[in-house]
Amino acid sequence: MDTRIERRDDSEDERPSRRRLPPEERRQQIVDGAVAFFAEVGLDGKTRDLARRLGVTQSLLFNYFSTKDDLLEAVYEQVYLNRLSPDWPDQLKDRNRPLRDRLLGFYTEYSQLIFQYEWMRIFMFSGLYGTELNRRYLKHMSDFILRPLLDEIRHSARGGTAPDMEDIWNLHGGIVYIGIRQHIYRTPCPDDPTRAITRAVDRFLSAFGIDVPDGPAAERGEGS
């Protein structure tokens, strides 16, 4: 796969006008524009079209990103890595708090960050385009979030049945699917996914003998 930035096309009669910006501000403008652009058209979108949309010359993109891979790496960092809280692993392993509270706290915060148009569509396009972006992200999630979560659920499981990694992915994938329905399939979804997330977490914990509260308070994520 050739991901070099396309041939420059900066003839004077097509050169867009632009105002001067400090380098860091200009770089951020390019990354912000690339996030919106690739979320809309896919990762095979042309950098010359991106430059035209941003109102800059294609050669300006070369000043900041020598290849399309470099630009996509910046998109990956902004859309995925920068949204991950470094506090999540410790919060999930804090046994001073009930396990259910830890799961609901994590998935409530996580869903607010990823149930976004750009996140969902770039993740989908990344898989279709054949890049490593989403595979790297899923490995990161597995190593730093889901495996610690698996250890905590195994610690609390009762009745001789313990979850495995596939069970954790099923829980995680089911919650993420709410966002996929909203931004990929464009089907009706709850405005507030809290109730659906709470029910999914409670069903999961109950399957492994971990007590969860009953009634309306449980569906609001109250009590443990």
Side-chain angles (χ1 to χ4, degrees), residues 5 14 19 37 56 62 67 72 79 83 90 95-96 108 114 128 133 137 145 151 186 198 210-211 214 223:
I5 285 192
E14 294 183 0
R19 67 183 182 87
F37 175 74
V56 301
F62 283 92
T67 68
L72 290 175
V79 174
R83 298 189 188 199
D90 289 339
R95 293 181 182 174
N96 292 318
T108 297
I114 72 164
L128 295 174
L133 300 185
Y137 177 79
I145 300 295
D151 291 340
R186 307 292 180 89
T198 301
I210 302 171
D211 291 336
D214 297 322

Side-chain angles (χ1 to χ4, degrees), residues 3-7 47 58 61-62 65-68 71:
T3 57
R4 293 174 297 178
I5 285 192
E6 298 86 4
R7 182 177 59 83
T47 55
Q58 192 178 23
L61 298 183
F62 283 92
F65 303 99
S66 59
T67 68
K68 187 176 179 181
L71 179 57

